[in-house]
Amino acid sequence: MQTWSSVDVPRVPGTPRPLRLHDTSTGQIRPTAPGATARMYVCGITPYDATHLGHAATYLAFDLVNRLWQDAGHEVHYVQNVTDIDEPLLERAQRDKGDWIVLGMRETALFREDMTALRVVPPRQFVGAVESIPEIVEVIAKLLADGSAYRADDPEYPDVYFDHRASGHFGYESNYDLETMNKLFAERGGDPDRAGKRHPLDALLWRLARPGEPSWESEVGEGRPGWHIECSAIAVNRLGLGFDLQGGGSDLAFPHHEYSAAHAEALAGDRPFARHYTHAGMIGLDGEKMSKSRGNLVFVSRLRADGVDPGAIRLALFAGHYRTDRAWTDALLADANTRLERWREAVSLSAGPAAEDTVDRLREHLADDLDTPKAIAALDAWVTEALRRDGTDTGAPGLIKLAVDSLLGIAL
Ligand code: 5CA
Ligand code: ZN
């Protein structure tokens, strides 16, 4: 698929810091240790509705990862998928009496516009599930051949399922107990009660064609792919096993990332799928998780149409730590607008207090598991001093502007 417009990430003088990030599989904040090229996969949207602030917050968190790695001198090989065939897309198209392909294309186009406006550095490869069906089928065929997958005991629809124990270490990524896994599997797209499976927690790999459903001819039968295998195949085929970071919102820790990892690891006979599994907290509105199915959404495109500065959206979402579940409120946006004005005023001065220490602290806080609240506080402190007009460093306003642009992605 076509990705979106590139974003310039300027070099910032001073000493970059190696990035430490929370990893769900170990429960620890650990150093990321990429080679010359850092390899990141972040799960993309299911394009049946517009991008809301929850999605945006998640992509913005991983945009910081991308920027910090670039700051530290790494190339970043970033891959993101688009789940352009799945149940929600078909249901929405049917509800609206539309075509699921048109719906997916329209919402994906809007997503590109939103990401461009938010100055999110685009992935090198932006890959749709539909265009990946041949490679997905190839992986499913291998899983069937080595016994990690099997056909459901159902004469009418012998769909292909993954034996969740095949990798030998199922559960290491999310670390949930069985009760939690059972609950989340049922809530998040799993089918524990499907007759003919060997175990309730086995996940669908290939759904054979049902009347009226889209399907593709393949060596495993005519049908369509399950969800987790899509990301597993797309990631491994482009980044290789053991890539640096698998990212997404916390609702993907289980089942999605657990199964994506298990599918790949069952074939490789080795782990890990990714060296870090990092999850962003959920953005809520009115006390509930913002989600398409609940309908309590604030869309990025709506805010843009209302003339909201994308830099203020970034600042508002960065005011909280990326891992905490937090609420979107009008006050949050108003505060961000005020802050953005103050920052702009400060960097437009002809001089300010020396900025090297502030930039160093900005890097230090961001490199510490993306601690944006502390990074913002460090910048606020410099801005307050600058606005008192007592600084004499003529290079300082420009340096702050450059660092905010490069590291936080905000144009002042
Ligand atoms: N297509 C799959 C991933 S392969 C999917 O989950 N799509 S999605 O459109 O439902 O979500 C896209 C990303 O936004 C996921 O990383 C998801 O975890 C994240 N996300 C969804 N809702 C929220 C929310 N309220 N707050 C923060 N992140 C969210
Ligand atoms: Zn995914």
Side-chain angles (χ1 to χ4, degrees):
M1 273 191 175
Q2 192 192 336
T3 182
W4 59 90
S5 314
S6 64
V7 180
D8 190 35
V9 182
R11 290 229 151 274
V12 183
T15 313
R17 307 265 179 149
L19 174 63
R20 295 161 52 80
L21 268 186
H22 185 265
D23 165 37
T24 303
S25 74
T26 54
Q28 288 171 351
I29 295 171
R30 297 194 291 113
T32 61
T37 300
R39 297 168 297 163
M40 171 162 80
Y41 185 91
V42 177
C43 281
I45 53 161
T46 305
Y48 69 92
D49 209 340
T51 310
H52 59 62
L53 287 168
H55 304 129
T58 292
Y59 297 113
L60 287 174
F62 295 101
D63 187 54
L64 295 180
V65 171
N66 194 331
R67 288 167 181 275
L68 286 165
W69 275 341
Q70 289 196 41
D71 186 47
H74 302 282
E75 290 266 331
V76 181
H77 185 172
Y78 178 18
V79 179
Q80 188 180 126
N81 70 307
V82 179
T83 307
D84 56 0
I85 174 70
D86 204 6
E87 236 57 69
L89 207 63
L90 300 178
E91 284 164 14
R92 178 61 62 94
Q94 193 165 32
R95 186 197 79 177
D96 297 346
K97 301 187 173 33
D99 182 332
W100 64 275
I101 299 178
V102 174
L103 173 65
M105 286 173 69
R106 187 177 69 228
E107 297 304 345
T108 304
L110 189 59
F111 175 72
R112 287 191 192 93
E113 279 178 31
D114 290 338
M115 292 296 106
T116 303
L118 288 170
R119 306 181 84 230
V120 173
V121 177
R124 189 185 291 180
Q125 285 148 312
F126 188 49
V127 191
V130 170
E131 65 183 340
S132 311
I133 285 177
E135 63 185 280
I136 294 170
V137 166
E138 203 179 308
V139 178
I140 295 172
K142 281 188 194 151
L143 287 166
L144 270 171
D146 87 347
S148 301
Y150 63 91
R151 297 257 174 206
D153 186 8
D154 173 345
E156 194 181 12
Y157 294 117
D159 301 323
V160 183
Y161 278 88
F162 176 71
D163 179 337
H164 75 287
R165 284 165 292 208
S167 70
H169 34 253
F170 185 79
Y172 83 91
E173 183 272 331
S174 61
N175 291 299
Y176 288 137
D177 59 27
L178 188 61
E179 195 185 334
T180 309
M181 288 201 266
N182 283 328
K183 178 173 165 288
L184 294 179
F185 185 76
E187 282 174 11
R188 297 176 180 167
D191 54 357
D193 302 325
R194 165 77 200 273
K197 295 208 300 185
R198 290 182 192 159
H199 190 286
L201 280 178
D202 290 350
L204 179 71
L205 291 172
W206 190 255
R207 176 178 166 89
L208 293 171
R210 312 297 202 258
E213 290 186 11
S215 59
W216 289 263
E217 281 287 356
S218 87
E219 65 177 285
V220 294
E222 185 179 339
R224 62 181 160 103
W227 174 29
H228 318 306
I229 192 65
E230 162 193 340
C231 287
S232 192
I234 293 175
V236 172
N237 285 343
R238 284 158 192 77
L239 299 172
L241 203 71
F243 58 92
D244 293 290
L245 170 62
Q246 161 73 308
S250 58
D251 57 343
L252 298 189
F254 192 90
H256 187 52
H257 290 170
E258 192 76 62
Y259 285 86
S260 300
H263 295 338
E265 291 162 3
L267 277 184
D270 199 11
R271 69 174 164 173
F273 175 61
R275 295 161 76 185
H276 259 81
Y277 298 91
T278 299
H279 296 105
M282 290 291 116
I283 302 296
L285 187 73
D286 306 329
E288 285 211 76
K289 172 189 160 184
M290 205 180 276
S291 75
K292 292 179 242 194
S293 48
R294 284 197 179 88
N296 58 341
L297 306 175
V298 178
F299 295 120
V300 174
S301 43
R302 179 73 248 161
L303 293 179
R304 288 200 287 119
D306 290 347
V308 173
D309 188 315
I313 300 176
R314 284 185 89 109
L315 262 186
L317 290 169
F318 292 159
H321 189 264
Y322 82 97
R323 278 200 288 128
T324 52
D325 294 343
R326 54 208 196 278
W328 177 264
T329 60
D330 291 342
L332 195 66
L333 182 59
D335 285 352
N337 271 315
T338 307
R339 175 171 280 129
L340 197 59
E341 268 172 43
R342 277 169 54 82
W343 286 15
R344 283 196 172 130
E345 192 186 340
V347 301
S348 68
L349 296 171
S350 55
E356 285 79 4
D357 278 0
T358 302
V359 171
D360 197 44
R361 263 177 293 142
L362 175 62
R363 281 187 164 118
E364 178 190 341
H365 296 313
L366 291 177
D368 179 17
D369 197 30
L370 310 178
D371 194 340
T372 50
K374 281 194 185 148
I376 289 173
L379 287 161
D380 276 344
W382 181 88
V383 165
T384 300
E385 269 193 65
L387 292 178
R388 277 196 223 117
R389 307 285 200 280
D390 43 356
T392 56
D393 186 333
T394 53
L399 179 57
I400 292 290
K401 184 174 165 155
L402 185 74
V404 169
D405 176 356
S406 179
L407 301 172
L408 289 177
I410 296 169
L412 292 181

